[in-house]
Structures are given as structure tokens and as C-alpha cells.
Amino acid sequence: MIYLDNAATSYPKPGCVLEAMTSALASCGANPGRSGHRLSLAAGRIVEDCREALAQMLGETDASRVVFAANTTDALNMAIHGSLRTGDHAVTTLLEHNSVLRPLSELSRSGAITLTIVPPDAKGRILAQDVERAMTPRTRLVAMTHMSNVLGVAQDVAAVGELCRRRGALFLVDAAQTAGHLPLTPAAWGCSMLALPGHKGLLGPHGTGALWVAPDVRLAPMRQGGTGSVSESMFQPRMMPDALESGTLNLPGIAGLRAGMRVALANREAAHENAVDLCAQMREALLSLPGVRVYTPRGASLLSFNIEGIASQEAASALDEAGIAVRGGLHCAPGVHRFLGTLETGAVRVSPGISSTRDDARRLVAAVARLARSADQTGMMPVAFPTK
């Protein structure tokens, strides 16, 4: 199987990830931070080592500001629900994943907040001046993606961060598509919070993620419970990370994430250049095929396209039968597809990973060419992608 769906989850995982997870369960599978015996202390060291590595990756010295989450969605929900209050106004963009759009939209529908969604320009960029026009005196939060999971366009988060700093608004960045691929410097960008996954570019296992929270930001916890600290109190501790971490942490997942990070960060620049090169190769080849429309601009590290006459999910299924794993549909980002005009059909997304090769790219193009010829010969009608 040629795996080209790394924007969803990286695969295959490095062997050291599996080894670290097995070792954590076999040698120190106790509850970290709960007991004073040696197994619990060893488990706690695994957790804190990964926390410190994440902080270092973000250019931060205070690791207590890094909170473990189940995934990016969990981290984003912690940030959104923990920062917004009744009567606040929030700003987000049309490029967002549903992990941002849905919690904000639900809060807006309930009447708790008001919400403005900023569209991109013709090149798929979110401009700081458009964000500023959307802001009001009640704007408390601006939330935006660092890179669209459909277009692959990196956004100027530093410009928006400077705007938020000047206007006194909190700034949340979704780094789901850039953690492990591009340098992340949230404090320099003016971020208040940054959410990231462990299972994508950082090569960790499923069910891992993190939220970084700036030192001057206090979030209301989404959940309360045992933290192993201040246990005499019936109230949630205020110090970080305990304020936002309740219950038993995912020890094997965190151990695997730490191992994956070592590989990902050691190869980050080369892996990103490889993904960009492969996407450029595929993009140029696909653009030459009759009946194939490419949506991703030059220079992106993923590629989205459609074959005329074949809905994206049908094309993805056909590619799967040919031994190539890609993703069709809406990619949980309906706003981007409204922008592209593909809300009814979705798009096929190809996302190379650290082990992807030029032969993988050539085989993908050849398979798409066969599908395009087949659609042209049979005169297939487009099949609508269900939006509900």
C-alpha cells in the first residue's frame, strides 16, 4: 500500500514509537503523578520529559504551560470553551477545520457569543486587515489555522497575532498541519494559545495532542477531577498544567509521542522539502491531464484535486483499490470547500509523509490518469458528496 494520507494521520510510525509505548506499559505502567513508588515516579518522568520536549520545540522554557490533550480537537475545545464568556465576540476564518468551526458555531447558536467568519482572498490567504475589520470592541478571541488541511497554504499568523496583541484579544492558532513540519514560535507570533496533534507531523500515536497556553492567559477548565495535587481541596487547582489536566494521562501515547518527536524534529526540514517536491511533481503532472482540476497552489506540502465526472470519494475508493491511500470528501473543512466551489463533490487530497518517494508520486499520477481516461470514455456523471 502506498500511503498518501499523512495530513490525517502519519503512517507508518517509526519503530521507536512502538518500542517506547510497549516499554512504558511493560516497565513503568503505573499512574504518573499519583503515587510515590518507583513505578509511578518513572511514569511521571516519561510524561514530564515529553512535556519539556514540546515546550522546547515551541521555543518556551516553562513546560508547565504545555497541557496534554487527546488530540488537536480536544486541545482546541479546551482553548475555546475555556476562554470565551457569555456576551463575547469571536472571529475565525472560512478555512478552519470543524474542530474550530463547530464549537464556535454551537456557542453562537446558543446565544452565548456572537461570531464572525472571515473569508480568504483569491489566493487562499487570510489577511490581517480583513480580520481587523471583523473585530468589535467585544472581540475576545480570534482563532485561525496555521495551514489549511485542504489548500496547504501557510498563513501569516504573526501579522494576525500582532493585531490581536494591539487590540487586546486572545489569539488561538491551530497547528494541526504544521507541527513537525514547520518551526512553531507561538510567543513570537503573539499567540495566546496553540493547539497541536501528536499523531500527524510529530509521528506519535493516535490519541495524543497538546495545548500551549501563554503565561498571562488563564483558561476555565473543561473538566475537573483528580490531579494528584492539592487533593485536600474540593476545587480544581489553579496552577498549570494541573488546572487543565484531570484524570489519568495517556502514558503509552505520551511515551510514543516523545519517541516520534525525536525522529520528526531531526528530519523536519528534509521531510518538509521532500513533501513539497513530491507535491510539485504531482501537481505539474496532474495539471497536464485532461479532466483533472488542481486546487492547491504551487509550493504546498499537500495536494487537492478532482477528476471531472468522478466524485472525490469515488476517486479515493478507486485509488484504494489500486493500492494507494488518499482521502476524499470534505476533510472536515466545509468552509474551504464553499470557497473552492466543491461543497457538493469534495476533493481528493494527497499528503506525502516522511517516507514517501518519487515512485509513490509517479504511481499516484499514473492511477489518476487511468481514472481520468475511464471517466472520459464512459461519460460518467458527477456524484454529489453528501453534506449532511
PDB file of all heavy atoms in Angstrom, residues 312-349:
ATOM      1  N   SER A 312     -15.208  12.881  -5.421  1.00  0.00           N
ATOM      2  CA  SER A 312     -13.924  12.657  -4.749  1.00  0.00           C
ATOM      3  C   SER A 312     -13.883  11.341  -3.980  1.00  0.00           C
ATOM      4  O   SER A 312     -12.865  10.644  -3.978  1.00  0.00           O
ATOM      5  CB  SER A 312     -13.617  13.821  -3.813  1.00  0.00           C
ATOM      6  OG  SER A 312     -14.602  13.930  -2.796  1.00  0.00           O
ATOM      7  N   GLN A 313     -14.970  10.978  -3.323  1.00  0.00           N
ATOM      8  CA  GLN A 313     -14.966   9.725  -2.577  1.00  0.00           C
ATOM      9  C   GLN A 313     -14.897   8.522  -3.509  1.00  0.00           C
ATOM     10  O   GLN A 313     -14.274   7.506  -3.185  1.00  0.00           O
ATOM     11  CB  GLN A 313     -16.204   9.642  -1.685  1.00  0.00           C
ATOM     12  CG  GLN A 313     -16.098  10.511  -0.434  1.00  0.00           C
ATOM     13  CD  GLN A 313     -17.173  10.169   0.571  1.00  0.00           C
ATOM     14  OE1 GLN A 313     -18.328   9.983   0.212  1.00  0.00           O
ATOM     15  NE2 GLN A 313     -16.793  10.094   1.831  1.00  0.00           N
ATOM     16  N   GLU A 314     -15.537   8.633  -4.660  1.00  0.00           N
ATOM     17  CA  GLU A 314     -15.458   7.554  -5.642  1.00  0.00           C
ATOM     18  C   GLU A 314     -14.020   7.430  -6.156  1.00  0.00           C
ATOM     19  O   GLU A 314     -13.497   6.313  -6.335  1.00  0.00           O
ATOM     20  CB  GLU A 314     -16.402   7.824  -6.803  1.00  0.00           C
ATOM     21  CG  GLU A 314     -17.870   7.924  -6.424  1.00  0.00           C
ATOM     22  CD  GLU A 314     -18.432   6.591  -5.975  1.00  0.00           C
ATOM     23  OE1 GLU A 314     -17.935   5.543  -6.434  1.00  0.00           O
ATOM     24  OE2 GLU A 314     -19.367   6.591  -5.157  1.00  0.00           O
ATOM     25  N   ALA A 315     -13.387   8.560  -6.404  1.00  0.00           N
ATOM     26  CA  ALA A 315     -11.998   8.533  -6.872  1.00  0.00           C
ATOM     27  C   ALA A 315     -11.075   7.957  -5.803  1.00  0.00           C
ATOM     28  O   ALA A 315     -10.176   7.158  -6.103  1.00  0.00           O
ATOM     29  CB  ALA A 315     -11.546   9.944  -7.255  1.00  0.00           C
ATOM     30  N   ALA A 316     -11.293   8.349  -4.549  1.00  0.00           N
ATOM     31  CA  ALA A 316     -10.463   7.833  -3.463  1.00  0.00           C
ATOM     32  C   ALA A 316     -10.631   6.325  -3.315  1.00  0.00           C
ATOM     33  O   ALA A 316      -9.660   5.596  -3.061  1.00  0.00           O
ATOM     34  CB  ALA A 316     -10.810   8.541  -2.160  1.00  0.00           C
ATOM     35  N   SER A 317     -11.863   5.837  -3.479  1.00  0.00           N
ATOM     36  CA  SER A 317     -12.107   4.395  -3.394  1.00  0.00           C
ATOM     37  C   SER A 317     -11.408   3.655  -4.531  1.00  0.00           C
ATOM     38  O   SER A 317     -10.829   2.581  -4.327  1.00  0.00           O
ATOM     39  CB  SER A 317     -13.610   4.108  -3.439  1.00  0.00           C
ATOM     40  OG  SER A 317     -14.254   4.626  -2.292  1.00  0.00           O
ATOM     41  N   ALA A 318     -11.459   4.242  -5.725  1.00  0.00           N
ATOM     42  CA  ALA A 318     -10.787   3.624  -6.862  1.00  0.00           C
ATOM     43  C   ALA A 318      -9.273   3.593  -6.659  1.00  0.00           C
ATOM     44  O   ALA A 318      -8.604   2.610  -7.003  1.00  0.00           O
ATOM     45  CB  ALA A 318     -11.140   4.372  -8.146  1.00  0.00           C
ATOM     46  N   LEU A 319      -8.719   4.661  -6.095  1.00  0.00           N
ATOM     47  CA  LEU A 319      -7.288   4.686  -5.812  1.00  0.00           C
ATOM     48  C   LEU A 319      -6.928   3.677  -4.732  1.00  0.00           C
ATOM     49  O   LEU A 319      -5.855   3.049  -4.781  1.00  0.00           O
ATOM     50  CB  LEU A 319      -6.861   6.095  -5.402  1.00  0.00           C
ATOM     51  CG  LEU A 319      -6.882   7.148  -6.523  1.00  0.00           C
ATOM     52  CD1 LEU A 319      -6.682   8.543  -5.959  1.00  0.00           C
ATOM     53  CD2 LEU A 319      -5.825   6.832  -7.575  1.00  0.00           C
ATOM     54  N   ASP A 320      -7.812   3.499  -3.770  1.00  0.00           N
ATOM     55  CA  ASP A 320      -7.578   2.493  -2.735  1.00  0.00           C
ATOM     56  C   ASP A 320      -7.497   1.095  -3.361  1.00  0.00           C
ATOM     57  O   ASP A 320      -6.644   0.282  -2.992  1.00  0.00           O
ATOM     58  CB  ASP A 320      -8.694   2.558  -1.699  1.00  0.00           C
ATOM     59  CG  ASP A 320      -8.492   1.576  -0.553  1.00  0.00           C
ATOM     60  OD1 ASP A 320      -7.352   1.478  -0.041  1.00  0.00           O
ATOM     61  OD2 ASP A 320      -9.455   0.895  -0.177  1.00  0.00           O
ATOM     62  N   GLU A 321      -8.370   0.823  -4.301  1.00  0.00           N
ATOM     63  CA  GLU A 321      -8.341  -0.466  -4.988  1.00  0.00           C
ATOM     64  C   GLU A 321      -7.040  -0.645  -5.773  1.00  0.00           C
ATOM     65  O   GLU A 321      -6.582  -1.777  -5.984  1.00  0.00           O
ATOM     66  CB  GLU A 321      -9.541  -0.589  -5.924  1.00  0.00           C
ATOM     67  CG  GLU A 321     -10.881  -0.711  -5.197  1.00  0.00           C
ATOM     68  CD  GLU A 321     -12.055  -0.784  -6.158  1.00  0.00           C
ATOM     69  OE1 GLU A 321     -11.813  -0.841  -7.387  1.00  0.00           O
ATOM     70  OE2 GLU A 321     -13.208  -0.781  -5.669  1.00  0.00           O
ATOM     71  N   ALA A 322      -6.455   0.474  -6.180  1.00  0.00           N
ATOM     72  CA  ALA A 322      -5.170   0.426  -6.886  1.00  0.00           C
ATOM     73  C   ALA A 322      -3.986   0.398  -5.919  1.00  0.00           C
ATOM     74  O   ALA A 322      -2.827   0.440  -6.362  1.00  0.00           O
ATOM     75  CB  ALA A 322      -5.048   1.625  -7.824  1.00  0.00           C
ATOM     76  N   GLY A 323      -4.273   0.336  -4.620  1.00  0.00           N
ATOM     77  CA  GLY A 323      -3.206   0.246  -3.626  1.00  0.00           C
ATOM     78  C   GLY A 323      -2.634   1.578  -3.189  1.00  0.00           C
ATOM     79  O   GLY A 323      -1.494   1.641  -2.715  1.00  0.00           O
ATOM     80  N   ILE A 324      -3.424   2.655  -3.315  1.00  0.00           N
ATOM     81  CA  ILE A 324      -2.955   3.993  -2.934  1.00  0.00           C
ATOM     82  C   ILE A 324      -3.960   4.604  -1.965  1.00  0.00           C
ATOM     83  O   ILE A 324      -5.139   4.764  -2.300  1.00  0.00           O
ATOM     84  CB  ILE A 324      -2.791   4.909  -4.163  1.00  0.00           C
ATOM     85  CG1 ILE A 324      -1.851   4.263  -5.182  1.00  0.00           C
ATOM     86  CG2 ILE A 324      -2.269   6.281  -3.746  1.00  0.00           C
ATOM     87  CD1 ILE A 324      -1.763   5.016  -6.502  1.00  0.00           C
ATOM     88  N   ALA A 325      -3.510   4.953  -0.786  1.00  0.00           N
ATOM     89  CA  ALA A 325      -4.382   5.519   0.241  1.00  0.00           C
ATOM     90  C   ALA A 325      -4.340   7.039   0.196  1.00  0.00           C
ATOM     91  O   ALA A 325      -3.291   7.655   0.429  1.00  0.00           O
ATOM     92  CB  ALA A 325      -3.965   5.033   1.634  1.00  0.00           C
ATOM     93  N   VAL A 326      -5.486   7.654  -0.127  1.00  0.00           N
ATOM     94  CA  VAL A 326      -5.644   9.108  -0.116  1.00  0.00           C
ATOM     95  C   VAL A 326      -6.960   9.397   0.597  1.00  0.00           C
ATOM     96  O   VAL A 326      -7.649   8.491   1.038  1.00  0.00           O
ATOM     97  CB  VAL A 326      -5.653   9.701  -1.541  1.00  0.00           C
ATOM     98  CG1 VAL A 326      -4.345   9.412  -2.261  1.00  0.00           C
ATOM     99  CG2 VAL A 326      -6.833   9.155  -2.340  1.00  0.00           C
ATOM    100  N   ARG A 327      -7.328  10.661   0.680  1.00  0.00           N
ATOM    101  CA  ARG A 327      -8.600  10.997   1.317  1.00  0.00           C
ATOM    102  C   ARG A 327      -9.484  11.794   0.357  1.00  0.00           C
ATOM    103  O   ARG A 327      -9.031  12.764  -0.255  1.00  0.00           O
ATOM    104  CB  ARG A 327      -8.385  11.805   2.599  1.00  0.00           C
ATOM    105  CG  ARG A 327      -9.707  12.093   3.309  1.00  0.00           C
ATOM    106  CD  ARG A 327      -9.525  12.683   4.668  1.00  0.00           C
ATOM    107  NE  ARG A 327     -10.832  13.005   5.269  1.00  0.00           N
ATOM    108  CZ  ARG A 327     -10.988  13.605   6.440  1.00  0.00           C
ATOM    109  NH1 ARG A 327      -9.938  13.940   7.149  1.00  0.00           N
ATOM    110  NH2 ARG A 327     -12.183  13.863   6.907  1.00  0.00           N
ATOM    111  N   GLY A 328     -10.742  11.367   0.243  1.00  0.00           N
ATOM    112  CA  GLY A 328     -11.738  12.126  -0.499  1.00  0.00           C
ATOM    113  C   GLY A 328     -12.704  12.791   0.465  1.00  0.00           C
ATOM    114  O   GLY A 328     -12.621  12.609   1.677  1.00  0.00           O
ATOM    115  N   GLY A 329     -13.630  13.578  -0.067  1.00  0.00           N
ATOM    116  CA  GLY A 329     -14.661  14.200   0.764  1.00  0.00           C
ATOM    117  C   GLY A 329     -14.359  15.640   1.119  1.00  0.00           C
ATOM    118  O   GLY A 329     -13.674  16.357   0.384  1.00  0.00           O
ATOM    119  N   LEU A 330     -14.868  16.045   2.263  1.00  0.00           N
ATOM    120  CA  LEU A 330     -14.784  17.452   2.681  1.00  0.00           C
ATOM    121  C   LEU A 330     -13.692  17.719   3.706  1.00  0.00           C
ATOM    122  O   LEU A 330     -13.479  18.875   4.100  1.00  0.00           O
ATOM    123  CB  LEU A 330     -16.138  17.904   3.256  1.00  0.00           C
ATOM    124  CG  LEU A 330     -17.328  17.835   2.294  1.00  0.00           C
ATOM    125  CD1 LEU A 330     -18.589  18.357   2.982  1.00  0.00           C
ATOM    126  CD2 LEU A 330     -17.054  18.640   1.028  1.00  0.00           C
ATOM    127  N   HIS A 331     -13.010  16.679   4.190  1.00  0.00           N
ATOM    128  CA  HIS A 331     -11.876  16.830   5.087  1.00  0.00           C
ATOM    129  C   HIS A 331     -12.225  17.599   6.361  1.00  0.00           C
ATOM    130  O   HIS A 331     -11.374  18.274   6.945  1.00  0.00           O
ATOM    131  CB  HIS A 331     -10.703  17.511   4.367  1.00  0.00           C
ATOM    132  CG  HIS A 331     -10.483  16.992   2.988  1.00  0.00           C
ATOM    133  ND1 HIS A 331     -11.008  17.618   1.877  1.00  0.00           N
ATOM    134  CD2 HIS A 331      -9.861  15.885   2.525  1.00  0.00           C
ATOM    135  CE1 HIS A 331     -10.694  16.926   0.785  1.00  0.00           C
ATOM    136  NE2 HIS A 331     -10.008  15.862   1.153  1.00  0.00           N
ATOM    137  N   CYS A 332     -13.493  17.511   6.779  1.00  0.00           N
ATOM    138  CA  CYS A 332     -13.971  18.215   7.984  1.00  0.00           C
ATOM    139  C   CYS A 332     -13.724  19.718   7.895  1.00  0.00           C
ATOM    140  O   CYS A 332     -13.551  20.388   8.918  1.00  0.00           O
ATOM    141  CB  CYS A 332     -13.324  17.656   9.251  1.00  0.00           C
ATOM    142  SG  CYS A 332     -13.642  15.912   9.533  1.00  0.00           S
ATOM    143  N   ALA A 333     -13.687  20.256   6.681  1.00  0.00           N
ATOM    144  CA  ALA A 333     -13.420  21.685   6.478  1.00  0.00           C
ATOM    145  C   ALA A 333     -14.389  22.230   5.434  1.00  0.00           C
ATOM    146  O   ALA A 333     -13.991  22.587   4.322  1.00  0.00           O
ATOM    147  CB  ALA A 333     -11.976  21.905   6.046  1.00  0.00           C
ATOM    148  N   PRO A 334     -15.689  22.312   5.767  1.00  0.00           N
ATOM    149  CA  PRO A 334     -16.683  22.708   4.757  1.00  0.00           C
ATOM    150  C   PRO A 334     -16.493  24.117   4.229  1.00  0.00           C
ATOM    151  O   PRO A 334     -16.825  24.401   3.065  1.00  0.00           O
ATOM    152  CB  PRO A 334     -18.009  22.562   5.501  1.00  0.00           C
ATOM    153  CG  PRO A 334     -17.655  22.714   6.953  1.00  0.00           C
ATOM    154  CD  PRO A 334     -16.306  22.079   7.083  1.00  0.00           C
ATOM    155  N   GLY A 335     -15.969  25.019   5.044  1.00  0.00           N
ATOM    156  CA  GLY A 335     -15.781  26.394   4.591  1.00  0.00           C
ATOM    157  C   GLY A 335     -14.816  26.491   3.423  1.00  0.00           C
ATOM    158  O   GLY A 335     -15.022  27.271   2.485  1.00  0.00           O
ATOM    159  N   VAL A 336     -13.738  25.694   3.461  1.00  0.00           N
ATOM    160  CA  VAL A 336     -12.777  25.707   2.363  1.00  0.00           C
ATOM    161  C   VAL A 336     -13.448  25.243   1.076  1.00  0.00           C
ATOM    162  O   VAL A 336     -13.209  25.792  -0.008  1.00  0.00           O
ATOM    163  CB  VAL A 336     -11.569  24.798   2.670  1.00  0.00           C
ATOM    164  CG1 VAL A 336     -10.510  24.939   1.589  1.00  0.00           C
ATOM    165  CG2 VAL A 336     -10.978  25.129   4.024  1.00  0.00           C
ATOM    166  N   HIS A 337     -14.318  24.237   1.200  1.00  0.00           N
ATOM    167  CA  HIS A 337     -14.969  23.712   0.004  1.00  0.00           C
ATOM    168  C   HIS A 337     -16.034  24.679  -0.527  1.00  0.00           C
ATOM    169  O   HIS A 337     -16.289  24.708  -1.731  1.00  0.00           O
ATOM    170  CB  HIS A 337     -15.539  22.329   0.282  1.00  0.00           C
ATOM    171  CG  HIS A 337     -14.459  21.283   0.414  1.00  0.00           C
ATOM    172  ND1 HIS A 337     -13.848  20.729  -0.675  1.00  0.00           N
ATOM    173  CD2 HIS A 337     -13.853  20.758   1.507  1.00  0.00           C
ATOM    174  CE1 HIS A 337     -12.924  19.871  -0.267  1.00  0.00           C
ATOM    175  NE2 HIS A 337     -12.906  19.873   1.052  1.00  0.00           N
ATOM    176  N   ARG A 338     -16.635  25.468   0.351  1.00  0.00           N
ATOM    177  CA  ARG A 338     -17.507  26.546  -0.140  1.00  0.00           C
ATOM    178  C   ARG A 338     -16.674  27.544  -0.941  1.00  0.00           C
ATOM    179  O   ARG A 338     -17.097  28.017  -2.002  1.00  0.00           O
ATOM    180  CB  ARG A 338     -18.203  27.235   1.031  1.00  0.00           C
ATOM    181  CG  ARG A 338     -19.276  26.391   1.705  1.00  0.00           C
ATOM    182  CD  ARG A 338     -20.092  27.219   2.688  1.00  0.00           C
ATOM    183  NE  ARG A 338     -21.128  26.409   3.299  1.00  0.00           N
ATOM    184  CZ  ARG A 338     -21.001  25.761   4.462  1.00  0.00           C
ATOM    185  NH1 ARG A 338     -19.856  25.848   5.133  1.00  0.00           N
ATOM    186  NH2 ARG A 338     -21.981  25.026   4.941  1.00  0.00           N
ATOM    187  N   PHE A 339     -15.511  27.863  -0.434  1.00  0.00           N
ATOM    188  CA  PHE A 339     -14.602  28.788  -1.106  1.00  0.00           C
ATOM    189  C   PHE A 339     -14.181  28.239  -2.468  1.00  0.00           C
ATOM    190  O   PHE A 339     -14.124  28.975  -3.469  1.00  0.00           O
ATOM    191  CB  PHE A 339     -13.376  29.024  -0.215  1.00  0.00           C
ATOM    192  CG  PHE A 339     -12.235  29.734  -0.874  1.00  0.00           C
ATOM    193  CD1 PHE A 339     -12.324  31.081  -1.206  1.00  0.00           C
ATOM    194  CD2 PHE A 339     -11.055  29.058  -1.161  1.00  0.00           C
ATOM    195  CE1 PHE A 339     -11.254  31.742  -1.814  1.00  0.00           C
ATOM    196  CE2 PHE A 339      -9.982  29.707  -1.764  1.00  0.00           C
ATOM    197  CZ  PHE A 339     -10.095  31.041  -2.090  1.00  0.00           C
ATOM    198  N   LEU A 340     -13.909  26.925  -2.546  1.00  0.00           N
ATOM    199  CA  LEU A 340     -13.462  26.305  -3.790  1.00  0.00           C
ATOM    200  C   LEU A 340     -14.609  25.974  -4.734  1.00  0.00           C
ATOM    201  O   LEU A 340     -14.373  25.702  -5.921  1.00  0.00           O
ATOM    202  CB  LEU A 340     -12.689  25.014  -3.482  1.00  0.00           C
ATOM    203  CG  LEU A 340     -11.353  25.150  -2.760  1.00  0.00           C
ATOM    204  CD1 LEU A 340     -10.805  23.768  -2.407  1.00  0.00           C
ATOM    205  CD2 LEU A 340     -10.354  25.926  -3.598  1.00  0.00           C
ATOM    206  N   GLY A 341     -15.846  25.961  -4.212  1.00  0.00           N
ATOM    207  CA  GLY A 341     -16.977  25.540  -5.015  1.00  0.00           C
ATOM    208  C   GLY A 341     -17.096  24.033  -5.129  1.00  0.00           C
ATOM    209  O   GLY A 341     -17.676  23.516  -6.083  1.00  0.00           O
ATOM    210  N   THR A 342     -16.552  23.305  -4.136  1.00  0.00           N
ATOM    211  CA  THR A 342     -16.547  21.837  -4.168  1.00  0.00           C
ATOM    212  C   THR A 342     -17.348  21.238  -3.019  1.00  0.00           C
ATOM    213  O   THR A 342     -17.124  20.086  -2.643  1.00  0.00           O
ATOM    214  CB  THR A 342     -15.101  21.309  -4.105  1.00  0.00           C
ATOM    215  OG1 THR A 342     -14.446  21.872  -2.946  1.00  0.00           O
ATOM    216  CG2 THR A 342     -14.323  21.693  -5.350  1.00  0.00           C
ATOM    217  N   LEU A 343     -18.286  22.002  -2.468  1.00  0.00           N
ATOM    218  CA  LEU A 343     -19.034  21.508  -1.318  1.00  0.00           C
ATOM    219  C   LEU A 343     -19.859  20.273  -1.667  1.00  0.00           C
ATOM    220  O   LEU A 343     -20.101  19.416  -0.816  1.00  0.00           O
ATOM    221  CB  LEU A 343     -19.945  22.620  -0.769  1.00  0.00           C
ATOM    222  CG  LEU A 343     -20.617  22.342   0.577  1.00  0.00           C
ATOM    223  CD1 LEU A 343     -19.591  22.139   1.670  1.00  0.00           C
ATOM    224  CD2 LEU A 343     -21.558  23.489   0.944  1.00  0.00           C
ATOM    225  N   GLU A 344     -20.299  20.162  -2.922  1.00  0.00           N
ATOM    226  CA  GLU A 344     -21.134  19.029  -3.318  1.00  0.00           C
ATOM    227  C   GLU A 344     -20.319  17.788  -3.669  1.00  0.00           C
ATOM    228  O   GLU A 344     -20.813  16.667  -3.557  1.00  0.00           O
ATOM    229  CB  GLU A 344     -22.013  19.422  -4.517  1.00  0.00           C
ATOM    230  CG  GLU A 344     -23.022  20.512  -4.204  1.00  0.00           C
ATOM    231  CD  GLU A 344     -23.991  20.095  -3.105  1.00  0.00           C
ATOM    232  OE1 GLU A 344     -24.461  18.949  -3.138  1.00  0.00           O
ATOM    233  OE2 GLU A 344     -24.259  20.912  -2.214  1.00  0.00           O
ATOM    234  N   THR A 345     -19.105  17.977  -4.098  1.00  0.00           N
ATOM    235  CA  THR A 345     -18.308  16.834  -4.558  1.00  0.00           C
ATOM    236  C   THR A 345     -17.116  16.526  -3.668  1.00  0.00           C
ATOM    237  O   THR A 345     -16.554  15.433  -3.736  1.00  0.00           O
ATOM    238  CB  THR A 345     -17.767  17.074  -5.973  1.00  0.00           C
ATOM    239  OG1 THR A 345     -16.948  18.250  -5.963  1.00  0.00           O
ATOM    240  CG2 THR A 345     -18.900  17.258  -6.969  1.00  0.00           C
ATOM    241  N   GLY A 346     -16.703  17.476  -2.821  1.00  0.00           N
ATOM    242  CA  GLY A 346     -15.474  17.295  -2.063  1.00  0.00           C
ATOM    243  C   GLY A 346     -14.269  17.375  -2.982  1.00  0.00           C
ATOM    244  O   GLY A 346     -14.343  17.847  -4.120  1.00  0.00           O
ATOM    245  N   ALA A 347     -13.131  16.904  -2.490  1.00  0.00           N
ATOM    246  CA  ALA A 347     -11.904  16.879  -3.288  1.00  0.00           C
ATOM    247  C   ALA A 347     -11.051  15.711  -2.832  1.00  0.00           C
ATOM    248  O   ALA A 347     -11.180  15.234  -1.703  1.00  0.00           O
ATOM    249  CB  ALA A 347     -11.129  18.192  -3.138  1.00  0.00           C
ATOM    250  N   VAL A 348     -10.187  15.254  -3.717  1.00  0.00           N
ATOM    251  CA  VAL A 348      -9.216  14.219  -3.375  1.00  0.00           C
ATOM    252  C   VAL A 348      -7.978  14.906  -2.818  1.00  0.00           C
ATOM    253  O   VAL A 348      -7.434  15.813  -3.449  1.00  0.00           O
ATOM    254  CB  VAL A 348      -8.836  13.386  -4.609  1.00  0.00           C
ATOM    255  CG1 VAL A 348      -7.815  12.310  -4.222  1.00  0.00           C
ATOM    256  CG2 VAL A 348     -10.071  12.751  -5.237  1.00  0.00           C
ATOM    257  N   ARG A 349      -7.556  14.476  -1.627  1.00  0.00           N
ATOM    258  CA  ARG A 349      -6.364  15.077  -1.014  1.00  0.00           C
ATOM    259  C   ARG A 349      -5.244  14.054  -0.935  1.00  0.00           C
ATOM    260  O   ARG A 349      -5.425  12.948  -0.434  1.00  0.00           O
ATOM    261  CB  ARG A 349      -6.672  15.601   0.384  1.00  0.00           C
ATOM    262  CG  ARG A 349      -5.487  16.337   1.033  1.00  0.00           C
ATOM    263  CD  ARG A 349      -5.789  16.736   2.459  1.00  0.00           C
ATOM    264  NE  ARG A 349      -5.902  15.570   3.329  1.00  0.00           N
ATOM    265  CZ  ARG A 349      -6.403  15.607   4.565  1.00  0.00           C
ATOM    266  NH1 ARG A 349      -6.849  16.757   5.059  1.00  0.00           N
ATOM    267  NH2 ARG A 349      -6.463  14.514   5.296  1.00  0.00           N
TER     268      ARG A 349
END
